[in-house]
Amino acid sequence: MDLTHFDEQGNAWMVDVSDKDVTSRTAVAEGFIAVNDTIYDRIAAGTMKKGDVLSVARLAAIMGAKQTSQLIPLCHPLSLTKVEVHCTLVDGESSACTDVTHNRAVKIRAIVKTTGKTGVEMEALTAVQVGLLTVYDMCKAIDKGMIMGPTYLVEKEGGKSGHFVR
């Protein structure tokens, strides 16, 4: 498969999508930030000094999805029709949770939709990453050793490349 973001001389460029069909497009991404027991318990109890970590991370993730084209140089600005984010506490689900001092995690899952000429995978992935960074920011006073990852595309639908499921 050819790399579409480079011209014949190897210069980066924004892909021309003007001849592509307008289709309904959806992307789902998720990621984890492994935290220690103290952070996990305080998030669960709602006792973090900076506030409700999961609610703030959810809002940050939504904002991140909307700002993707300003953060990723070759992404097209898109009119998003839906950004849905779920932030949950999990025990041992993430491969980032292998360190015994960080054996619990916050999981962030983003579902992004549009009707357009290009997909929303980058918006879903950006949403997750911004949400994870927000969790880190809100909890770093307790522990700077939190571990982010993995983050990955779960599913995407629409467009020429069709349906992808991890």
Side-chain angles (χ1 to χ4, degrees):
M1 171 177 257
D2 293 327
L3 297 175
T4 58
H5 284 86
F6 298 96
D7 66 15
E8 298 80 25
Q9 291 77 39
N11 299 308
W13 65 307
M14 183 182 268
V15 174
D16 183 356
V17 297
S18 53
D19 291 334
K20 288 178 127 185
D21 292 333
V22 173
T23 62
S24 178
R25 295 160 184 269
T26 303
V28 180
E30 64 185 24
F32 300 84
I33 182 166
V35 299
N36 66 22
D37 289 338
T38 301
I39 290 172
Y40 187 95
D41 292 341
R42 289 188 61 185
I43 291 172
T47 58
M48 293 297 291
K49 286 185 180 182
K50 289 189 175 185
D52 182 345
V53 173
L54 301 182
S55 292
V56 174
R58 184 177 61 78
L59 289 175
I62 292 168
M63 293 173 65
K66 294 175 9 177
Q67 297 299 316
T68 300
S69 68
Q70 294 181 24
L71 299 169
I72 310 296
L74 302 178
C75 282
H76 293 82
L78 301 177
S79 177
L80 304 179
T81 58
K82 179 178 184 171
V83 179
E84 179 181 331
V85 176
H86 302 275
C87 300
T88 55
L89 292 168
V90 296
D91 252 332
E93 184 177 341
S94 163
S95 64
C97 296
T98 58
D99 178 350
V100 294
T101 61
H102 297 88
N103 58 357
R104 295 166 138 185
V106 174
K107 176 182 177 181
I108 299 181
R109 182 179 183 93
I111 303 159
V112 181
K113 293 184 177 186
T114 193
T115 302
K117 295 183 174 210
T118 190
V120 287
E121 300 95 75
M122 294 307 297
E123 286 72 13
L125 289 162
T126 300
V128 170
Q129 287 297 139
V130 170
L132 295 174
L133 288 167
T134 299
V135 172
Y136 187 93
D137 179 56
M138 293 185 74
C139 300
K140 67 185 179 206
I142 294 173
D143 178 27
K144 292 174 180 48
M146 293 172 279
I147 304 164
M148 284 181 266
T151 298
Y152 48 86
L153 184 67
V154 174
E155 182 176 10
K156 78 90 153 164
E157 290 183 274
K160 187 172 82 172
S161 64
H163 192 189
F164 165 84
V165 178
R166 173 166 296 289

